[in-house]
Amino acid sequence: MKLLNVEVVLNREKGIQGVESESDVLRELDDEITSYAILLHRWGAEVGYEEMTGLMKMEEGKRDEVRQRYGYQKIIKSCEQVTKDDHKWLWIDTCCIDKRSSSELSEAITPCIGGIKTHRCAMRTSMMSASPSSLPSKITASLTSLMQVEFFNEDWVSIGNKRRLAPALEDITRIPRDVLTGGLAAKRLSVAQIMSWAAHRKTTRVEDRAYSLMGLFGVNMPMLYGEGRKAFRRLQLEIIQELSDHSIFAWRPWIPRAGSVLAEDPSDFSGCGDVENVEPDDFADRLIKDYIEPVA
């Protein structure tokens, strides 16, 4: 994957000579062996891949306009923070992905699964007072897969890490506290429970409601923008092939409907936060204890 070379970006901004090639700004590296930081943020007036790599080739007026954007200043502040944390590489979704490449888009949909990545920064304190529906969909995968997560306010002052802020994050995201602090392996979770965390997340494109969940379930599938809600159905079929978990059929739509046994949208799982995945023997024991013995 392509990562920002933090030193090169900052040197270019300071006008230091030596940045001869725009390819120096972004470097293709093996994310399985490279330690790097990731920025989690809300989108605004951002700087894209072509603008970031072609900045010095622009006319002066256009270059100044890009550098004055809030998104560009966010990149610079991120690089400065990463330098303080002794990291050399940084990944930001807005400028590290060449969106003309379908392979890069596919690779970037789950950038934080693996454990080699070391840091993710949430930039605004507004994320700590947000409603579940206003949070970026990618925050669910980020909070459950990355062990080191630090939050910063708009002035880049740290307001705490994921462990210290776990109670507030649990209220906002509805992800259990022990999962936030210990990861997905910390607790035995059902597919329906995990789906419930994404029930109220919003995305710009409806397909991303499905694509952003692939990493949580360890599945992959082609991203076909334009397929609409079919993306979520495809996701469920991929999960069924990988996991023997019947809770995927435990969804509860707000409005009863006939048709497929598959849910149409993550919101169908909004009431499934307490659905447990029970082994057959345990199910039989509970059935006898809770329903058969009392009658007898």
Side-chain angles (χ1 to χ4, degrees), residues 39-43 93 112 120 135-143 201 203 212:
L39 176 70
L40 176 63
H41 63 115
R42 291 184 183 278
W43 282 22
D93 55 0
C112 59
R120 182 174 285 262
L135 288 172
S137 62
K138 59 194 172 187
I139 195 173
T140 302
S142 307
L143 289 174
R201 303 288 184 268
T203 58
S212 63

Side-chain angles (χ1 to χ4, degrees), residues 179-219:
V179 176
L180 288 169
T181 57
L184 290 172
K187 186 175 182 179
R188 189 180 177 193
L189 298 162
S190 70
V191 168
Q193 281 178 299
I194 297 174
M195 287 288 193
S196 73
W197 305 339
H200 300 285
R201 303 288 184 268
K202 300 298 182 184
T203 58
T204 302
R205 304 190 68 162
V206 65
E207 296 90 347
D208 285 334
R209 286 176 62 72
Y211 301 156
S212 63
L213 296 175
M214 289 193 290
L216 283 171
F217 297 104
V219 300

